[in-house]
Amino acid sequence: MVRAILCTGAFVAASVLLAGAMKADGLSERARKLHFSCIVVDTHDDTTQRLLDSKFDLGTRSSAGSIDIPRMREGNIGAIFFSIWMPSKVTGPDAVNRAIVQIDAVREQVRKHPNDLVLATTAAEIRDAHKQGKIAALLGVEGGHMINSDLGVLRAYAALGVRYMTLTHSGNDEWADSSTDKAVHNGLTDFGREVVREMNRLGVMVDISHVSDKTFYDALETSKAPLIASHSSCRAICDAPRNMTDQMMKDLAVKGGVVQINYHVGFLSQEFRDREKANPELNKTISAEVTKRCADNQSCQLIEGDRITREYVEQGKLPRVEFSKIIEHIDHAVKVAGIDHVGLGSDFDGANMPYGMEDAAKLPKITEALLQKGYAEGDVKKILGENTLRVMTDVQLISRELNGEKQKQESRLQ
Amino acid sequence: MRRMVVFLCLISCSCAGLFFVRCTSADDIADRARQLHFSSIVLDTHADTPQRLLTGTFDLGKRDAEGHVDIPRMREGGLNAQFFSIFITGKTLGPPAIQQALDQIDLVRQNIQQHGKDLALATTAEEIRRAHAQGQIAILMGIEGGHMIGNDIRMVRVYSALGVRYMTLAHFYNDEWADSSTDKPAHNGLTHFGKEVVREMNRQGMLVDISHVSDKAFYDALEVSKVPLIASHSSVRAISNHPRNMSDDMIKVLAAKGGVIQINYERNYLSEEYRTAFAAVAGDVSRMEEKFKKECGDDNVCIGKAEIRLEKELTGAGKLPHVSWEKIIEHIDHVVRLVGPDHVGLGSDFDGADMPDGLEDCSKLPKITEALLRKGYSEEDIRKILGGNILRVMEQSEKISKEMQAAQ
Ligand SMILES: [Zn+2]
Ligand SMILES: [Zn+2]
């Protein structure tokens, strides 16, 4: 009996599994269909560093890193923000020069791949690109240090197509405090507020990833347009200063903003973060190994940093983080900030990816996981890109208003 | 000269001693000139007005007592398309040169936005025509000096993307890759990299400007460029033997490849008499200039004002001769005789040079049209000189740029 019962139990379990598998297959199908009909927007990728290497071609599938055209196609990325970045310690005209050269590198890739890429600066242009079966390439400047305290330079970036600027990177800049540096400005300086206002006027989104909490609140107060966090996750799940508290996400949402979830394991998993913290030598060893492999080649450093971290996880020195952690953050942010205020900001090619989300090709898994969690298709669509597109549209409208175009139109109508 | 005699004869014959008719006849020309001038696209390829914008106190929208260019005077002079020169001294190199150039480009763009009713940024011949049709003045941008790319070819693309449509390969000093006409040759013309820059300019639809460059750099650029060259603000060396001017041979080969020389109104470049007199007092002048630089610091407008004062003093003291605006006509006519009417245009150097008597600012431009008409030039040829020729080169540049980009 006991045996028979056991046997029956096993049979029941087997059939449940089978049904589950069938159901899962139906869901996968739905997920694929949904994912490939959506405009998927990723607001933060450090791929630009790789573009600076003349041997790297975005059009060829690469065995390293997370982003290239074939894998973006496979994962159906519809719009990608290429990050213009250099460390905070690069300042002055050198920073301007290097930023301009990176902007050019992205624009050149777009020119070299006219069948796959198109430079976009508005939500409408992203939708157009999508209709034409092309991937929209956008530009974001990651760190206010790159304007060298010069609004003219900010305007030059905007004229070249830049559509967001992260107010700081890891270090404070001349006018804003970073979340990973000692506060010196108590948030934004007066000039920092001027920068935010000028960004509003130019239609450049204000990105508060990387900035200190006080800077975030100052920017929120100053900005006439909704803010974005281009690549930040939830501090309630992983207590990193780079992540946002529930209160910050709520306040961001009230003003129409969006938090774009970052996939970096150190921002996703408290366990990972704790282990890193408990063993500071580990980071030093990784850094030393990265320097050994890459010298000062930034793109190599980012790619190898991810690879070495993986090696350490395999060796059991660091905990394994699954991609489902991304879903956990999305779900938390949705619960706290609302379904209209969450999006994707992978940090591909600039961070350590969790298992199952090694590159852009894996993105459909997010859609499937959200459906599995019971999210409505319309809500998934918002998270994948529509929320970001809405903010872009809002930012553009506000920019037009600030430029007085609205007044002109009205006077024409009268 | 022969042409003018014939023309005068025609007028006096047809007027046949009737003073009344003769008067009307003279007025007819003035009327015809006005009509022609104000219906034409008048395109000047070089004004240093951004230096005045840098002062922060100068308002392009208001008639100014000083300088040569502002919106009211542009309107008065029928000047409806103007290249503003992006200029920083050739001593500033590398990233600081890039940032300062970006700032000046932004300054021009900001001013255009502030005066949106009167001004429109133009980057193509088509956009110039559209602005003209809408009664707006087209503003274009040229970079005066290859040093502003910071020895980095990628900056050509960046400036082009920001709307810059020509680059002068060098300014008063050699840059890293091109020799200047007013410096000791260091590269024997264009370096290998300099030639690459020219090709990239072709690809980007940025006109190659050979004003300021050494003769050898000119010939090198001529050989490399797939697009006709321009001299944005140079005059005729056969009339005033200045290295900044072009020899007859240079003008001929420039024209043979479809290029255009845009006549500069600077007295030194217009008049040999002035140039030699100026050379005689050059020692005093450079001593004074050192003094101005000390007094003015980096303020180019301040230096400019002091130079004008000095020039007036020297002219008053009889040390420098007067130069009449008619010299401009002489230079234009020399080029037309040499290579025909398709290869000459206007490159005043307003706000960056000393203007001759009678052409004190851009409001005086209709005089050029009238003088050319009186000289017997056809209306069609005058339209070419006023702007048609440079528009033609811009269209060629746009076409070749498209072809080169498609071929990649
Ligand atoms: Zn980042
Ligand atoms: Zn000049």
Side-chain angles (χ1 to χ4, degrees):
Chain A
M1 271 313 261
V2 172
R3 206 173 167 204
I5 290 167
L6 271 179
C7 194
T8 317
F11 174 75
V12 170
S15 44
V16 166
L17 263 176
L18 199 66
M22 274 168 70
K23 211 175 134 201
D25 275 352
L27 191 102
S28 296
E29 198 46 50
R30 240 181 81 212
R32 274 198 78 75
K33 244 174 135 165
L34 173 61
H35 187 85
F36 284 88
S37 71
C38 288
I39 300 180
V40 181
V41 184
D42 184 349
T43 48
H44 197 87
D45 294 82
D46 280 309
T47 316
T48 317
Q49 300 303 317
R50 307 192 75 195
L51 303 183
L52 295 176
D53 175 357
S54 58
K55 277 171 287 184
F56 180 75
D57 176 28
L58 203 56
T60 312
R61 195 184 187 92
S62 169
S63 58
S66 306
I67 293 283
D68 46 50
I69 290 168
R71 285 185 287 175
M72 283 197 275
R73 291 289 193 191
E74 212 175 305
N76 193 41
I77 284 195
I80 173 171
F81 275 87
F82 286 102
S83 167
I84 306 304
W85 171 80
M86 69 203 62
S88 300
K89 63 171 190 280
V90 183
T91 55
D94 284 333
V96 177
N97 189 4
R98 283 173 64 172
I100 287 280
V101 161
Q102 287 186 34
I103 292 169
D104 174 64
V106 175
R107 295 174 63 107
E108 278 299 285
Q109 284 295 325
V110 172
R111 256 193 279 231
K112 278 179 192 151
H113 301 285
N115 297 325
D116 293 301
L117 301 177
V118 61
L119 189 74
T121 56
T122 63
E125 284 171 4
I126 293 176
R127 290 188 198 283
D128 276 354
H130 182 71
K131 272 186 208 131
Q132 293 167 26
K134 290 180 190 178
I135 300 162
L138 295 101
L139 294 159
V141 164
E142 189 182 15
H145 56 297
M146 278 172 265
I147 66 167
N148 191 21
S149 295
D150 181 345
L151 295 180
V153 173
L154 170 66
R155 289 189 287 262
Y157 294 160
L160 290 168
V162 169
R163 282 302 173 270
Y164 76 67
M165 183 166 79
T166 322
L167 301 181
T168 72
H169 189 245
S170 302
N172 304 330
D173 51 44
E174 303 92 328
W175 44 269
D177 285 335
S178 164
S179 62
T180 45
D181 200 349
K182 259 183 224 152
V184 294
H185 304 302
N186 187 30
L188 279 181
T189 66
D190 284 346
F191 177 72
R193 289 173 193 269
E194 225 181 291
V195 173
V196 167
R197 281 188 287 264
E198 187 63 4
M199 288 170 75
N200 288 165
R201 193 180 71 81
L202 294 167
V204 173
M205 291 189 282
V206 177
D207 176 18
I208 55 78
S209 283
H210 280 288
V211 308
S212 75
D213 293 9
K214 179 60 167 58
T215 303
F216 161 75
Y217 279 105
D218 285 356
L220 193 73
E221 186 190 279
T222 307
S223 178
K224 294 199 172 78
L227 309 180
I228 63 161
S230 72
H231 58 311
S232 293
S233 301
C234 303
R235 213 180 283 175
I237 301 175
C238 176
D239 186 21
R242 271 284 283 106
N243 287 341
M244 295 181 79
T245 66
D246 286 358
Q247 191 58 49
M248 285 163 81
M249 287 196 283
K250 275 180 201 160
D251 296 331
L252 177 87
V254 166
K255 291 212 167 181
V258 182
V259 52
Q260 314 276 127
I261 301 299
N262 187 321
Y263 312 163
H264 177 55
V265 289
F267 300 154
L268 287 177
S269 157
Q270 186 66 45
E271 192 196 354
F272 189 95
R273 197 177 153 71
D274 288 344
R275 283 275 283 283
E276 259 188 328
K277 268 189 141 177
N279 193 353
E281 286 308 307
L282 213 59
N283 263 336
K284 275 184 207 159
T285 328
I286 293 177
S287 297
E289 181 63 24
V290 165
T291 312
K292 210 176 99 192
R293 292 190 196 179
C294 303
D296 57 0
N297 180 333
Q298 297 286 3
S299 108
C300 169
Q301 286 183 11
L302 294 170
I303 303 291
E304 287 303 313
D306 189 27
R307 207 196 304 262
I308 297 164
T309 305
R310 265 291 163 100
E311 286 165 17
Y312 278 51
V313 171
E314 297 291 337
Q315 292 160 21
K317 291 177 186 162
L318 284 167
R320 184 181 153 114
V321 180
E322 301 295 334
F323 95 93
S324 55
K325 266 287 178 195
I326 299 169
I327 308 301
E328 204 181 305
H329 279 261
I330 292 175
D331 194 49
H332 181 85
V334 167
K335 280 180 183 137
V336 170
I339 188 65
D340 295 324
H341 306 283
V342 186
L344 308 177
S346 64
D347 216 350
F348 277 139
D349 285 342
N352 307 326
M353 291 296 121
Y355 278 75
M357 194 49 62
E358 287 76 10
D359 59 26
K362 311 290 192 302
L363 282 169
K365 291 166 83 172
I366 291 180
T367 301
E368 188 172 339
L370 289 172
L371 276 185
Q372 208 147 26
K373 227 179 163 63
Y375 275 65
E377 292 195 2
D379 288 349
V380 175
K381 198 171 173 178
K382 284 181 179 177
I383 294 165
L384 291 180
E386 289 299 327
N387 287 338
T388 314
L389 292 172
R390 182 200 72 234
V391 172
M392 288 184 72
T393 307
D394 289 349
V395 167
Q396 200 191 352
L397 283 174
I398 289 162
S399 151
R400 268 194 211 150
E401 269 172 41
L402 292 172
N403 277 313
E405 278 197 21
K406 208 184 167 193
Q407 280 175 320
K408 258 194 243 162
Q409 274 170 355
E410 278 167 359
S411 69
R412 243 179 259 139
L413 285 173
Q414 278 160 6
Chain B
M1 215 44 199
R2 204 176 307 140
R3 195 207 302 245
M4 197 157 107
V5 171
V6 171
F7 185 65
L8 285 174
C9 175
L10 273 174
I11 290 182
S12 38
C13 294
S14 63
C15 296
L18 282 169
F19 177 74
F20 175 76
V21 176
R22 216 145 130 199
C23 249
T24 318
S25 176
D27 278 351
D28 271 355
I29 291 185
D31 276 354
R32 250 179 74 208
R34 274 196 78 75
Q35 216 171 40
L36 172 60
H37 187 86
F38 286 94
S39 67
S40 296
I41 291 179
V42 180
L43 203 177
D44 182 302
T45 47
H46 199 89
D48 282 307
T49 316
Q51 299 301 316
R52 310 194 72 211
L53 298 176
L54 280 170
T55 61
T57 53
F58 170 63
D59 178 3
L60 208 47
K62 291 203 184 98
R63 195 187 185 88
D64 203 284
E66 283 162 348
H68 309 140
V69 173
D70 49 49
I71 292 167
R73 284 185 286 175
M74 287 169 107
R75 293 287 192 196
E76 206 177 311
L79 177 55
N80 45 36
Q82 177 69 58
F83 272 90
F84 277 161
S85 167
I86 305 302
F87 166 74
I88 60 168
T89 156
K91 298 278 186 200
T92 306
L93 300 168
I98 291 172
Q99 187 176 346
Q100 285 182 39
L102 289 175
D103 276 337
Q104 253 182 65
I105 291 168
D106 174 59
L107 188 64
V108 171
R109 294 175 65 113
Q110 292 279 101
N111 269 277
I112 293 168
Q113 207 179 17
Q114 272 163 30
H115 300 284
K117 275 195 189 124
D118 290 300
L119 307 179
L121 180 72
T123 57
T124 62
E126 177 58 32
E127 283 170 5
I128 294 173
R129 293 205 172 91
R130 198 182 309 149
H132 184 234
Q134 291 170 354
Q136 284 175 308
I137 298 165
I139 299 293
L140 299 99
M141 290 184 284
I143 285 199
E144 189 178 17
H147 57 292
M148 276 172 268
I149 65 167
N151 218 15
D152 185 342
I153 204 153
R154 294 172 288 193
M155 289 311 297
V156 172
R157 296 196 289 258
V158 170
Y159 290 142
S160 171
L162 289 170
V164 172
R165 281 303 172 269
Y166 77 67
M167 182 165 77
T168 321
L169 301 183
H171 189 245
F172 279 137
Y173 310 105
N174 304 332
D175 51 43
E176 302 92 330
W177 44 270
D179 284 337
S180 164
S181 62
T182 46
D183 200 349
K184 262 183 226 152
H187 308 302
N188 187 29
L190 286 183
T191 66
H192 179 74
F193 175 73
K195 291 175 186 177
E196 255 177 71
V197 171
V198 167
R199 279 186 283 264
E200 186 62 18
M201 289 170 74
N202 286 169
R203 198 169 79 92
Q204 296 305 321
M206 200 188 272
L207 295 177
V208 179
D209 177 18
I210 54 78
S211 284
H212 280 288
V213 309
S214 75
D215 291 9
K216 180 59 168 56
F218 161 74
Y219 285 106
D220 284 356
L222 191 76
E223 193 185 292
V224 175
S225 180
K226 293 196 171 78
V227 178
L229 307 180
I230 65 161
S232 73
H233 59 311
S234 292
S235 300
V236 174
R237 213 179 278 173
I239 301 176
S240 174
N241 187 25
H242 197 287
R244 272 285 284 105
N245 286 344
M246 295 181 80
S247 72
D248 282 2
D249 183 68
M250 288 164 79
I251 295 170
K252 276 185 198 159
V253 291
L254 175 88
K257 289 211 168 183
V260 186
I261 171 174
Q262 308 278 107
I263 301 298
N264 189 320
Y265 312 162
E266 155 69 36
R267 290 182 225 170
N268 263 295
Y269 307 157
L270 288 179
S271 158
E272 178 69 9
E273 193 195 347
Y274 186 92
R275 191 187 71 78
T276 44
F278 190 87
V281 295
D284 300 338
V285 171
S286 66
R287 257 192 307 282
M288 289 302 283
E289 273 180 347
E290 283 310 309
K291 201 181 133 224
F292 301 155
K293 269 179 201 156
K294 262 182 213 142
E295 287 165 5
C296 299
D298 286 339
D299 186 345
N300 286 331
V301 172
C302 168
I303 293 171
K305 279 182 189 171
E307 283 172 348
I308 290 169
R309 270 200 309 276
L310 174 66
E311 207 128 3
K312 275 197 178 130
E313 276 169 38
L314 290 167
T315 312
K319 288 183 180 167
L320 288 173
H322 285 278
V323 178
S324 161
W325 69 277
E326 282 162 323
K327 272 283 180 193
I328 299 168
I329 308 301
E330 198 181 321
H331 280 258
I332 293 174
D333 195 51
H334 181 90
V335 179
V336 171
R337 279 159 198 252
L338 197 64
V339 292
D342 294 327
H343 306 284
V344 63
L346 309 177
S348 63
D349 215 351
F350 281 140
D351 285 336
D354 300 316
M355 292 296 119
D357 298 345
L359 217 118
E360 288 79 8
D361 60 32
C362 67
S363 72
K364 307 290 195 302
L365 282 170
K367 290 166 87 170
I368 291 181
T369 301
E370 188 173 334
L372 291 172
L373 258 188
R374 284 188 194 283
K375 229 178 163 56
Y377 278 59
S378 74
E379 296 201 359
E380 191 195 341
D381 287 353
I382 294 171
R383 275 193 214 272
K384 285 180 182 174
I385 294 163
L386 292 178
N389 288 336
I390 194 79
L391 285 171
R392 180 196 72 230
V393 176
M394 284 182 74
E395 276 164 352
Q396 279 171 296
S397 161
E398 289 158 23
K399 186 168 163 272
I400 292 168
S401 152
K402 265 188 207 128
E403 284 166 8
M404 287 178 81
Q405 294 202 23
Q408 263 197 335

